[in-house]
Each structure stands twice: as structure tokens, then as C-alpha cells.
């Protein structure tokens, strides 16, 4: 190659200050990369930490964690929500057994939902009521729990969990026994049947077998006798008040009955006794009832 060709294809002249600047820039990039890389590694390890392992920051959160994880088969996480010295009545294994029972009943559990109520301060700690819903494809079953939570150094943990005993909270009922009768209501119905509705037969059905005093028929006839000829008397009850009875088995009431005719009305006072589920006696009515009735 002659000198002319060598000159034509020679490398372009280098600008050494520019080369030095570029080399310095690459050194900075490499230094930054060395310092940033550990940061990415650290960031990756933090993301790998399970946030469910963090202690709860309030009572509702502790309750939710215990019921959710225990009812979802994550018994280890439920155990982590317990205080170190806790011995709950309902353990995570018990919660899991409830879930298994519903899984058998419903043919599997597709989801578990937990709702918590407002915390309440008690002598044992903080009480929170939680409802766990076991959900299948087309059915849902709810279970209610009461969870006791303790606050320790700003974090919250579960010390106890119970489930309401429905049978113990409800009064025992004898299915063979009839519903109780309100004595005042029965006394009122008895007199209204005669005085207002003029239906002595309905009142008679309310009388005890051992009934004594003015009968429903006698009271109805006394109203007819009191009224003027061609009048159809009626009336209403003005007041009914309990009074002392000499017999503990009998509830005694004083009743004011207003009897009305076409142009006149008059108030009469009666004493009516009720025993168990029937009317035991009717007395009084002075001025309306004849002395020999």
C-alpha cells in the first residue's frame, strides 16, 4: 500500500480529552451499579417476607387473623396470632375441625369470610365478636365467635376464643305446656265480651269450672234491665287496675265499666278474679246488678 492509500484509510484522529471523560463516566456507572445491586437484593428479600407473620396492630386485626387462618386451615398462622401464654377454649385445631365439618356437609368450601364487630373493653381484655362464613358454590353457613385480645407493647394478640352456647342462653321450654295467659288481658276480654260486644256466650267460655259470682249471662241481662224500653244498651271499659287478693293463686282487678243507653250512661265498678288461664269470679256492679243476682 502506498502512502496515499494509507493516508486515505487511516483511523480518524482521537480527541484524548473526550476519551478521558467517557472513561470517567463509565467508572461512575460501574460504581453506582455495584452500590445499587445490593439494594435490589435486599428489596427482593423484603418482598419475600410474609406480611401475615407481622403482629396485629389492633384488636379487630388480631381477631380477624385468628379466625381467618384457623378457619382456613392455616393453623400455624393462627397459632402465631395467639399470645405466648394463651390457652384458648377454641384452639386453631378446633376452628379447623369446624371448617372440616362444613366441608363435609356442603361438599367442599370455596371461600371463608370473616367479619368483626366493634371491640369492647372487659375485665379479661378486649372482647371482639367475629362471624365466620363458610361458603360453598351455592350455600353458606355462619358461625359466631367471641375472641378476647390483649395489647402488649403496641401489638395485639389473642388470649382466648369461645363460641356462644345457644342452648344455655335460651330458657328451657316445655313443648307440652301452653303459652302463659296475661291475667289482666283475660279480665279485660271477659268484660269487653259482655259490655262492648254483647256476646255473653264468648265470656262464658272464659269462666273457670269453679267460677263464682255474677255470670256473663246475668251481667248481660242486667244491662237490658237497666236500659229504657226499646233501647239496646252497650258500653266500654274505662279503667282496670290490679288490687290485693286474699288468695295468692288469684289475680284480682277492679274495673270501671260505663254502660250507655240512648240518652243516659252510668259507671259501675266490678271486681274480677283470674286464676291460671280462666276467670274465677266477678263481683260488684252495685246499682246495676240486683241484690239477689
Amino acid at each position: 500500500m502506498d502512502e496515499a492509500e494509507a493516508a486515505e484509510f487511516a483511523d480518524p484522529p482521537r480527541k484524548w480529552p473526550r476519551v478521558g471523560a467517557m472513561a470517567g463516566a463509565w467508572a461512575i456507572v460501574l460504581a453506582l451499579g455495584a452500590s445499587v445491586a445490593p439494594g435490589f437484593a435486599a428489596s427482593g428479600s423484603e418482598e419475600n417476607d410474609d406480611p401475615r407473620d407481622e403482629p396485629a396492630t389492633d384488636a379487630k386485626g388480631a381477631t380477624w387473623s385468628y379466625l381467618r387462618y384457623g378457619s382456613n386451615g392455616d393453623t400455624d398462622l393462627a397459632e402465631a396470632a395467639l399470645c405466648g401464654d394463651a390457652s384458648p377454649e377454641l384452639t386453631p385445631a378446633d376452628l379447623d375441625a369446624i371448617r372440616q365439618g362444613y366441608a363435609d356437609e356442603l361438599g367442599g368450601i370455596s371461600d371463608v369470610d370473616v367479619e368483626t364487630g366493634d371491640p369492647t373493653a372487659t375485665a379479661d381484655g378486649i372482647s371482639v365478636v367475629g362471624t365466620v362464613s363458610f361458603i360453598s358454590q351455592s350455600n353458606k353457613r355462619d358461625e359466631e365467635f367471641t375472641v378476647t385480645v390483649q395489647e402488649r407493647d403496641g401489638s395485639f394478640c389473642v388470649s382466648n376464643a369461645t363460641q356462644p352456647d345457644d342452648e344455655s342462653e335460651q330458657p328451657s321450654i316445655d313443648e307440652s305446656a301452653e303459652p302463659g295467659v296475661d291475667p289482666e288481658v283475660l279480665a279485660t276480654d271477659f268484660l269487653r265480651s259482655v259490655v262492648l260486644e254483647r256476646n255473653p256466650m264468648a265470656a262464658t267460655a272464659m269462666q273457670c269450672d269453679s267460677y263464682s259470682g255474677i255470670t256473663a249471662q246475668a251481667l248481660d241481662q242486667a244491662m237490658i234491665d237497666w236500659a229504657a224500653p226499646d233501647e239496646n244498651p252497650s258500653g266500654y271499659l274505662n279503667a282496670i287496675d290490679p288490687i290485693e287478693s286474699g288468695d295468692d293463686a288469684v289475680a284480682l282487678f277492679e274495673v270501671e265499666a260505663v254502660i250507655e243507653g240512648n240518652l243516659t250512661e252510668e259507671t259501675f265498678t266490678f271486681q274480677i278474679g283470674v286464676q291460671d288461664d280462666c276467670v274465677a269470679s266477678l263481683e260488684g256492679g252495685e246499682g246495676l246488678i240486683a241484690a239477689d243476682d
Side-chain angles (χ1 to χ4, degrees):
M1 179 181 298
D2 58 22
E3 293 181 2
E5 290 179 346
E8 183 180 353
F9 294 102
D11 293 335
R14 291 182 174 84
K15 297 181 180 179
W16 293 109
R18 181 178 178 183
V19 171
M22 293 181 63
W26 277 108
I28 294 173
V29 169
L30 292 174
L32 287 175
S35 63
V36 169
F40 277 110
S43 174
S45 71
E46 288 179 4
E47 290 178 357
N48 290 332
D49 289 341
D50 193 338
R52 298 178 299 175
D53 294 332
E54 296 296 322
T57 57
D58 58 31
K60 293 180 71 172
T63 299
W64 187 94
S65 296
Y66 187 70
L67 295 179
R68 170 71 181 186
Y69 300 139
S71 301
N72 205 34
D74 295 328
T75 53
D76 289 342
L77 290 173
E79 290 280 358
L82 287 170
C83 300
D85 55 352
S87 298
E89 293 183 36
L90 279 175
T91 66
D94 294 329
L95 295 174
D96 185 57
I98 294 174
R99 180 185 67 86
Q100 291 289 352
Y102 280 122
D104 295 340
E105 176 185 338
L106 301 175
I109 300 295
S110 59
D111 194 13
V112 174
D113 185 44
V114 178
E115 293 185 0
T116 56
D118 293 330
T120 302
T122 67
D124 297 326
I126 305 171
S127 179
V128 181
V129 174
T131 301
V132 178
S133 299
F134 299 92
I135 304 167
S136 70
Q137 295 299 326
S138 58
N139 290 287
K140 183 178 78 167
R141 296 290 187 272
D142 294 333
E143 290 286 343
E144 186 174 288
F145 302 89
T146 299
V147 177
T148 304
V149 178
Q150 308 295 329
E151 181 180 4
R152 296 181 179 177
D153 298 328
S155 62
F156 294 77
C157 59
V158 173
S159 60
N160 196 17
T162 60
Q163 193 167 21
D165 186 354
D166 294 335
E167 294 182 359
S168 64
E169 291 182 355
Q170 297 178 354
S172 59
I173 299 175
D174 183 358
E175 295 181 355
S176 63
E178 296 182 359
V181 177
D182 186 331
E184 184 172 333
V185 172
L186 184 57
T188 301
D189 289 346
F190 178 84
L191 284 177
R192 280 173 56 88
S193 295
V194 181
V195 175
L196 178 62
E197 300 170 4
R198 301 300 306 282
N199 186 355
M201 291 188 64
T204 300
M206 304 179 197
Q207 296 176 180
C208 300
D209 293 338
S210 58
Y211 182 89
S212 63
I214 306 165
T215 64
Q217 290 86 347
L219 177 56
D220 181 67
Q221 185 60 49
M223 291 177 62
I224 296 172
D225 296 341
W226 172 87
D230 300 326
E231 283 187 343
N232 184 25
S234 63
Y236 59 91
L237 304 184
N238 191 40
I240 178 168
D241 297 298
I243 57 177
E244 291 187 5
S245 171
D247 186 348
D248 293 339
V250 177
L252 195 61
F253 301 90
E254 185 171 85
V255 185
E256 289 185 356
V258 179
I259 310 300
E260 299 175 313
N262 292 344
L263 300 175
T264 60
E265 68 175 35
E266 191 172 351
T267 300
F268 303 95
T269 302
F270 296 89
Q271 295 79 42
I272 182 170
V274 176
Q275 183 174 10
D276 297 330
D277 58 352
C278 59
V279 176
S281 63
L282 180 65
E283 305 290 344
E286 288 80 2
L288 177 66
I289 306 297
D292 57 353
D293 283 348

